[in-house]
Amino acid sequence: MGRCTIQLVTGPAGSGKSTYSHILQEHVQTLGPRNRRRIHVVNLDPAAEHFRYDVAFDIRELISVDDVMEELQLGPNGSLVYCMEYLLENMDWLQDHLDSYDDDEYLIIDCPGQIELYTHIPVMNKIIDQMRMWGYGESMVSVFVVDATFVTDPAKFISGELLRRRIEKIGVCNSQIMMRQSYSSSSFI
């Protein structure tokens, strides 16, 4: 088997990563048979509860925040960190799933949005580095989804940019920005 193409969907919690993943999957399914690519969406967020997309595989098959909270009596953030560190210790689970897809298939990986996983505890960076070592570096891109309020509020924008610069990616604004008439285009240059 070859290496599938992977799109890591990252961004702050609540920015619309799952919605983006669903819309992309839905869009590909509406293409004609000659243009349709086999696309699969993966959940890599152990705290996620509901999906509008069809899940190809789910980290909660390996470990979930709810189970960790119940068994280890940790809070939600501690449980999330524990789950992602558990994944790091069991990367063969992820590799087995990734390797089951061929080079004509496209994976969208819906990642957790807690900033700590990218900055304070570089769990996501380690996962991405491991995926590169497995040979996915040439076929992997990260899409950073950000809420429109991050673009219009300078403090939020800078925070988002700091996270975005941790991993190479394409930025996507999840909604249309409404500008007051008092703004001119030169205000944003």
Side-chain angles (χ1 to χ4, degrees):
M1 285 206 163
R3 294 284 183 232
C4 60
T5 302
I6 296 174
Q7 185 179 117
L8 294 162
V9 182
T10 63
S15 63
K17 295 177 299 296
S18 296
T19 300
Y20 170 86
S21 299
H22 165 71
I23 290 170
L24 191 56
Q25 182 183 54
E26 195 173 68
H27 170 70
V28 170
Q29 291 171 348
T30 64
L31 298 175
R34 290 181 33 215
N35 296 323
R36 187 174 298 151
R37 191 166 189 185
R38 293 188 295 166
I39 187 168
H40 312 278
V41 182
V42 174
N43 175 46
L44 208 59
D45 184 352
E49 295 179 350
H50 306 287
F51 306 104
R52 291 174 52 201
Y53 53 76
D54 298 325
V55 181
F57 65 91
D58 188 343
I59 189 174
R60 296 173 312 159
E61 298 165 2
L62 177 68
I63 191 165
S64 75
V65 165
D66 289 340
D67 290 344
V68 171
M69 287 176 64
E70 184 178 321
E71 292 176 25
L72 300 179
Q73 300 298 304
L74 294 174
N77 289 341
S79 296
L80 179 64
V81 170
Y82 182 90
C83 288
M84 298 311 288
E85 288 177 343
Y86 185 84
L87 174 60
L88 277 175
E89 294 172 9
N90 296 277
M91 288 295 282
D92 56 322
W93 175 85
L94 182 60
Q95 185 175 20
D96 290 345
H97 280 291
L98 294 178
D99 288 348
S100 70
Y101 295 94
D102 210 346
D103 59 357
D104 64 340
E105 296 180 270
Y106 197 91
L107 289 184
I108 301 169
I109 301 180
D110 188 3
C111 297
Q114 285 63 25
I115 196 166
E116 300 86 356
L117 300 175
Y118 300 86
T119 58
H120 302 83
I121 308 160
V123 173
M124 292 304 298
N125 292 339
K126 290 178 182 178
I127 291 170
I128 292 166
D129 288 345
Q130 184 62 55
M131 291 169 68
R132 284 184 181 127
M133 287 176 51
W134 294 333
Y136 290 99
E138 296 292 318
S139 62
M140 183 170 53
V141 65
S142 181
V143 172
F144 185 77
V145 179
V146 64
D147 192 87
T149 61
F150 275 67
V151 177
T152 59
D153 181 324
K156 289 180 182 176
F157 181 75
I158 290 170
S159 297
E161 280 297 302
L162 290 173
L163 174 58
R164 190 173 83 83
R165 296 198 185 278
R166 296 286 295 175
I167 305 169
E168 293 179 31
K169 60 184 59 69
I170 300 166
V172 175
C173 188
N174 74 350
S175 60
Q176 182 179 7
I177 301 170
M178 303 301 290
M179 294 189 286
R180 292 182 287 207
Q181 287 182 319
S182 61
Y183 288 129
S184 69
S185 60
S186 62
S187 300
F188 296 98
I189 298 176

